[in-house]
Amino acid sequence: MNDRSGERREGSLEAPTRHPIPWQDASFYDEAALDKELERVYDICHGCRRCVSLCNAFPTLFDLVDNSSTMEVDGVAKADYGKVVDQCYLCDLCYMTKCPYVPPHEWNVDFPHLMLRAKAVKFKKEGASLRDKVLTSTDLVGSLAGIPVVAEVVNAVNANGAARKLMQSAIGVHAEAPLPKFHSNNARKVLAKRPAASNTDDQIALYLTCYGNRNAPQTVADMVAVFEHNGIAVKLVEKEVCCGMPKLELGDLETVAKHKDINIPPLLKLADAGLRITAPIPSCVLMYRQELPLLFPDDERVKKVQAAFVDPYEYLMARHRAGKLRTDFKGGIGKVAWHAPCHQRVQNVGQKTREILELVPGTEVVVIDRCSGHDGTYAVKEENYAFAQKICRPIVKRISDTKVDHYVSDCPMAGELIEHGVGNGSHATSAFTLLKHAYGI
């Protein structure tokens, strides 16, 4: 009598599930089939519109519909479907927090991965612009811009208004968008000089990430200091390249596969040795926990690495629950605005950063769980910069309206965009930096 399995229900109360991405099948690139699926999903989104506040993809879609002759999806030219795709940066928040029609619902809506398919079809057909190739070639750009003297020159050029206007005219990188600084004394070099950790009772492997290594070495050093202060020896991954997230967002799945083939063997070696693996950038952790397993569902090596990966704050809070995290803080950190990045939220680890910051006596954490709009390379592109600023504005307003001692994001790139928006000379920092100071180390 209570069996409702045959009923059609509005929305779903079940946890979202994800299907493997069949990117190696020829049918994945069938443009007619893609357009048919885009029309089906766009129509469902148009009928719901719960996602309108998340990013610019949905307002773009709804404006196309509302301005069409029929005011329905069938009135939107298929040539305009790509305008929606270009505004999606695969943050996954619509899938995880808003859409009531994700699998196992029968409508089977996976908006981000449909956008990924459309990006892959476009990339296979048209390739990428010079700008997009440069922005997503993080290892090549980082290795060149990280050369001593060259790093200082690149940073000076990126901070020069006239040079930035030329850059915008030449390749379409917005003149006002914050660009990351490059460091010749990268994280791998900094960590190689530190004394060997003592009194450790555990060990974790650290995948530095291209951004952490060359653009945020101090954040990585502070992260390692906190781990080692808590008796956790940190072993660097012997060899690594970019996780592939920038290429994924471009739809260049063949290069994602190449990066996977370089990264997985050394990571698997660590996983087989029983080590958990972590990284300072949530997007890179998400790549190993979600995207690569869905792209390569039959690769047992990827599955083993997936099981080994852990968010750094999730790891520390597990240690706290085991009574093994030090709480002998020497100082307070005050009131902190914490921005929870999208790619950390969709890992479903909860607010572990907030929890660990609140272990410091007297700390008040203001949680801001909205998208920053940075999302990899999206915010620095000439055509997207204004949209990114609009998406980031609620975070900036919240920080500006709330008198806080510090503001942090677990994504350094998001932190830079937020700092740019706050624009009062203050600086975004990291929770690891605050914890290091609270420990007095």
Side-chain angles (χ1 to χ4, degrees):
M1 186 171 179
N2 294 323
D3 181 9
R4 301 180 60 192
S5 59
E7 296 182 14
R8 169 171 291 187
R9 290 181 295 159
E10 184 70 18
S12 175
L13 295 178
E14 298 179 68
T17 59
R18 228 63 198 259
H19 297 309
I21 304 168
W23 69 279
Q24 291 167 310
D25 294 349
S27 59
F28 189 77
Y29 301 92
D30 184 322
E31 292 187 53
L34 172 62
D35 278 346
K36 184 177 180 180
E37 180 64 2
L38 285 170
E39 184 174 6
R40 183 185 78 86
V41 171
Y42 285 175
D43 191 52
I44 293 171
C45 296
H46 161 51
C48 172
R49 301 202 178 199
R50 286 187 62 188
C51 47
V52 68
S53 64
L54 291 177
C55 64
N56 198 48
F58 299 105
T60 299
L61 169 62
F62 303 145
D63 284 348
L64 286 169
V65 172
D66 295 344
N67 293 324
S68 72
S69 58
T70 65
M71 298 186 71
E72 298 291 348
V73 173
D74 63 7
V76 177
K78 288 185 170 49
D80 286 339
Y81 284 4
K83 294 178 179 177
V84 181
V85 177
D86 289 343
Q87 291 301 316
C88 175
Y89 34 73
L90 308 179
C91 77
D92 259 10
L93 274 196
C94 59
Y95 188 93
M96 295 300 292
T97 68
K98 291 288 185 181
C99 182
Y101 305 119
V102 299
H105 191 279
E106 63 184 302
W107 288 358
N108 191 30
V109 174
D110 186 340
F111 190 89
H113 282 168
L114 178 59
M115 296 298 100
L116 174 62
R117 180 183 176 188
K119 290 173 186 288
V121 170
K122 180 181 180 182
F123 183 85
K124 201 175 190 68
K125 185 177 179 181
E126 303 175 8
S129 66
L130 172 63
R131 178 198 62 186
D132 291 351
K133 287 179 183 175
V134 170
L135 289 177
T136 58
S137 298
T138 54
D139 286 314
L140 176 61
V141 172
S143 62
L144 294 175
I147 296 172
V149 181
V150 176
E152 287 73 19
V153 172
V154 170
N155 292 336
V157 169
N158 286 343
N160 182 284
R164 290 296 302 275
K165 287 180 180 175
L166 282 175
M167 190 187 298
Q168 180 173 328
S169 299
I171 61 172
V173 173
H174 198 283
E176 296 178 19
L179 296 179
K181 288 185 173 59
F182 290 92
H183 298 265
S184 55
N185 194 26
N186 61 41
R188 195 170 285 274
K189 291 179 183 176
V190 170
L191 294 174
K193 297 173 185 172
R194 77 192 193 282
S198 58
N199 300 320
T200 57
D201 62 7
D202 202 354
Q203 187 177 32
I204 192 167
L206 177 60
Y207 176 75
L208 284 170
T209 74
C210 46
Y211 193 93
N213 187 33
R214 296 188 177 96
N215 302 113
Q218 188 57 54
T219 297
V220 174
D222 292 345
M223 174 183 180
V224 170
V226 169
F227 272 78
E228 291 183 343
H229 184 66
N230 279 285
I232 307 161
V234 177
K235 182 180 179 62
L236 302 188
V237 176
E238 184 179 347
K239 178 184 177 184
E240 64 179 65
V241 296
C242 173
C243 67
M245 182 63 85
K247 295 297 184 184
L248 182 84
E249 293 174 347
L250 190 60
D252 181 3
L253 302 184
E254 293 289 351
T255 300
V256 172
K258 290 176 184 174
H259 287 203
K260 183 264 295 183
D261 288 339
I262 295 172
N263 284 323
I264 288 297
L267 293 172
L268 179 64
K269 187 177 176 182
L270 294 164
D272 282 342
L275 270 66
R276 303 300 302 272
I277 307 168
T278 194
I281 311 295
S283 299
C284 308
V285 176
L286 181 69
M287 195 69 184
Y288 289 99
R289 291 184 111 175
Q290 175 178 285
E291 303 298 354
L292 289 176
L294 291 172
L295 287 166
F296 305 95
D298 300 324
D299 190 329
E300 293 300 324
R301 302 173 308 158
V302 171
K303 291 179 183 175
K304 286 185 179 179
V305 171
Q306 176 193 29
F309 254 92
V310 63
D311 174 85
Y313 301 99
E314 178 187 15
Y315 181 82
L316 289 177
M317 281 308 296
R319 191 172 172 87
H320 177 63
R321 288 195 297 274
K324 299 167 70 176
L325 190 79
R326 294 181 65 165
T327 55
D328 54 340
F329 299 102
K330 308 299 184 190
I333 53 180
K335 190 172 183 178
V336 184
W338 167 58
H339 167 248
C342 307
H343 280 175
Q344 185 185 56
R345 290 180 63 193
V346 300
Q347 292 177 48
N348 271 331
V349 299
Q351 298 182 349
K352 296 297 185 290
T353 306
R354 175 188 61 77
E355 292 175 25
I356 198 164
L357 286 174
E358 288 179 344
L359 293 176
V360 182
T363 300
E364 180 183 351
V365 180
V366 178
V367 178
I368 306 177
D369 51 357
R370 294 186 65 111
C371 180
S372 72
H374 193 288
D375 297 282
T377 62
Y378 178 85
V380 305
K381 295 179 180 177
E382 182 180 11
E383 66 274 22
N384 295 333
Y385 174 74
F387 298 132
Q389 292 294 296
K390 182 179 178 182
I391 295 166
C392 191
R393 198 169 299 145
I395 300 175
V396 171
K397 185 176 186 305
R398 185 87 181 276
I399 291 172
S400 300
D401 290 349
T402 309
K403 294 189 182 306
V404 294
D405 298 299
H406 311 278
Y407 55 96
V408 304
S409 173
D410 291 335
C411 173
M413 289 171 280
E416 289 173 359
L417 188 66
I418 295 167
E419 176 183 310
H420 176 69
V422 173
N424 62 1
S426 62
H427 297 286
T429 185
S430 83
F432 280 116
T433 301
L434 296 181
L435 287 169
K436 181 185 171 189
H437 287 309
Y439 277 125
I441 54 178

